[in-house]
């Protein structure tokens, strides 16, 4: 696996593959890779001749009081994992390469509406940072397809909308969440949990499962949201939101809506955990 840090080295490499008619899949990450990321790489391998993975801890998507400085950076171990999965190219640019004129004057990509609710309501500017970096990375790598985990369901929809609105010729593939054996969704931020908090963290998934069961039995949306919220509090988590939405676009479901998603975010110690469950009625 080749590792490149500069855009002017990346472009000719990918262009040669394209000239040879090879399909290119792209997996953007912030590193500290776990089985969820490696599953994205495996899925990419199955869909394209070439797989490019990026590792860039994007400062633009962190708020002023968030964990940018603590975010785990594990490039060496990540490199080994990517090599084992048959990645062709790791692109690991530095901050100066991504934002050469500085973040403050960086042109930004905003996906209005869908970016302002749920996680976007608690993390102002987060999805502008995500959309901006992903748009830049798409322009650098110029992949045929890009893969994102469904764990970050709102992020996936923001990126789908951005790609459609800007007519970017990239197919967006969502990959189901990879979970620990007790149901906790894999996340780089799970490493912030103490041993004791780790035992309580799976209650997030359990609350979503109970909510899904409630919806299937015909319970009202507000009732299942309220029960999930109470379940999280009972388990010692501090809920940020629990919300049932239309899976297509995160709109408030109209009566009779059949394809739903229950999304939740909750604080546990230093970690802010998010998860979601899609429900077909
Ligand atoms: O999901 C992530 O790891 C990041 O938000 C992404 C998509 C790599 C953009 O920095």
């Amino acid at each position: 696996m080749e590792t490149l840090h500069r855009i002017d080295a990346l472009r000719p490499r990918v262009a040669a593959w394209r000239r040879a008619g090879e399909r290119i899949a792209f997996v953007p990450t912030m590193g500290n890779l776990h089985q969820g990321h490696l599953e994205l790489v495996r899925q990419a391998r199955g869909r394209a001749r070439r797989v490019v993975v990026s590792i860039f801890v994007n400062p633009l998507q962190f708020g002023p009081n968030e964990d940018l400085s603590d975010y785990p950076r594990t490039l060496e171990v990540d490199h080994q994992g990517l090599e084992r999965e048959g990645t062709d190219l790791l692109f690991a640019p530095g901050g100066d390469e991504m934002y050469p004129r500085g973040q403050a004057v960086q042109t930004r990509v905003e996906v209005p509406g869908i970016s302002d609710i749920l996680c976007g309501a608690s993390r102002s500017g987060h999805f502008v940072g995500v959309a901006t970096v992903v748009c830049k990375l798409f322009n650098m790598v110029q992949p045929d397809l890009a893969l994102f985990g469904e764990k970050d369901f709102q992020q996936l929809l923001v990126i789908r909308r951005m790609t459609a609105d800007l007519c970017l010729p990239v197919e967006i593939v969502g990959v189901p969440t990879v979970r620990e054996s007790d149901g906790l969704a894999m996340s780089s931020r799970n490493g912030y949990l103490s041993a004791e908090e780790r035992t309580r963290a799976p209650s997030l998934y359990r609350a979503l499962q109970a909510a899904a069961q409630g919806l299937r039995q015909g319970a009202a949306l507000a009732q299942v949201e309220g029960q999930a919220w109470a379940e999280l509090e009972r388990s010692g988590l501090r809920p940020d939101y629990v919300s049932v939405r239309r899976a297509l676009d995160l709109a408030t479901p109209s009566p009779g809506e059949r394809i739903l998603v229950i999304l939740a975010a909750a604080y546990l110690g230093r970690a802010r955990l998010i998860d979601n469950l899609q429900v077909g009625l």
Side-chain angles (χ1 to χ4, degrees):
M1 180 181 75
E2 186 170 19
T3 302
L4 298 175
H5 301 282
R6 298 187 56 87
I7 300 160
D8 55 9
L10 171 74
R11 281 195 191 285
R13 188 68 79 255
V14 177
W17 292 339
R18 188 165 299 291
R19 272 198 306 279
E22 294 175 345
R23 193 168 149 81
I24 299 163
F26 177 44
V27 179
T29 81
M30 297 207 299
N32 192 233
L33 305 180
H34 48 67
Q35 282 305 317
H37 295 112
L38 298 180
E39 178 59 20
L40 298 178
V41 177
R42 282 177 218 123
Q43 296 273 337
R45 268 257 75 88
R47 290 164 192 258
R49 171 73 182 81
R50 298 289 181 180
V51 177
V52 179
V53 176
S54 67
I55 295 183
F56 176 63
V57 182
N58 174 32
L60 212 57
Q61 69 189 74
F62 288 78
N65 300 317
E66 293 185 355
D67 56 341
L68 174 61
S69 55
D70 297 341
Y71 200 85
R73 284 144 172 102
T74 54
L75 193 59
E76 190 106 328
V77 181
D78 292 348
H79 187 281
Q80 290 162 14
L82 292 175
E83 199 144 55
R84 269 197 305 275
E85 295 301 337
T87 306
D88 294 282
L89 196 159
L90 168 61
F91 179 51
D96 292 352
E97 190 69 359
M98 288 302 288
Y99 302 121
R101 276 171 288 279
Q103 283 178 64
V105 294
Q106 167 65 46
T107 300
R108 285 153 201 253
V109 178
E110 187 183 349
V111 185
I114 196 166
S115 295
D116 306 324
I117 55 175
L118 306 171
C119 281
S122 328
R123 303 185 68 193
S124 173
H126 170 65
F127 288 116
V128 171
V130 170
T132 301
V133 80
V134 171
C135 186
K136 283 177 72 101
L137 287 164
F138 281 1
N139 285 328
M140 293 168 194
V141 177
Q142 305 202 346
D144 296 289
L145 67 153
L147 297 93
F148 295 86
E150 288 180 352
K151 196 209 117 208
D152 297 300
F153 194 79
Q154 187 175 6
Q155 167 173 282
L156 174 63
L157 295 198
V158 167
I159 290 165
R160 274 197 207 289
R161 179 77 59 82
M162 171 195 77
T163 307
D165 285 355
L166 299 181
C167 307
L168 302 177
V170 183
E171 179 195 344
I172 304 300
V173 178
V175 175
T177 304
V178 178
R179 297 181 181 281
E180 305 283 359
S181 55
D182 58 10
L184 179 64
M186 291 201 181
S187 164
S188 299
R189 289 187 168 102
N190 291 350
Y192 295 155
L193 298 169
S194 69
E196 190 276 325
E197 287 159 357
R198 176 63 188 82
T199 63
R200 284 185 283 138
S203 64
L204 180 55
Y205 183 51
R206 283 200 299 273
L208 292 175
Q209 284 179 306
Q213 177 77 351
L215 289 176
R216 285 192 205 98
Q217 289 168 349
L221 305 190
Q223 186 189 343
V224 300
E225 288 168 352
Q227 282 169 350
W229 185 284
E231 163 64 27
L232 292 174
E233 286 187 329
R234 264 196 305 279
S235 305
L237 280 71
R238 184 162 62 81
D240 179 10
Y241 64 78
V242 177
S243 193
V244 181
R245 299 291 172 120
R246 185 162 71 181
L248 179 70
D249 56 5
L250 301 185
T252 303
S254 7
E257 198 72 63
R258 303 189 73 80
I259 314 288
L260 302 173
V261 58
I262 313 158
L263 307 105
Y267 297 93
L268 180 56
R270 282 176 61 218
R272 181 176 182 278
L273 305 176
I274 62 170
D275 202 350
N276 67 85
L277 207 51
Q278 293 177 66
V279 191
L281 298 179

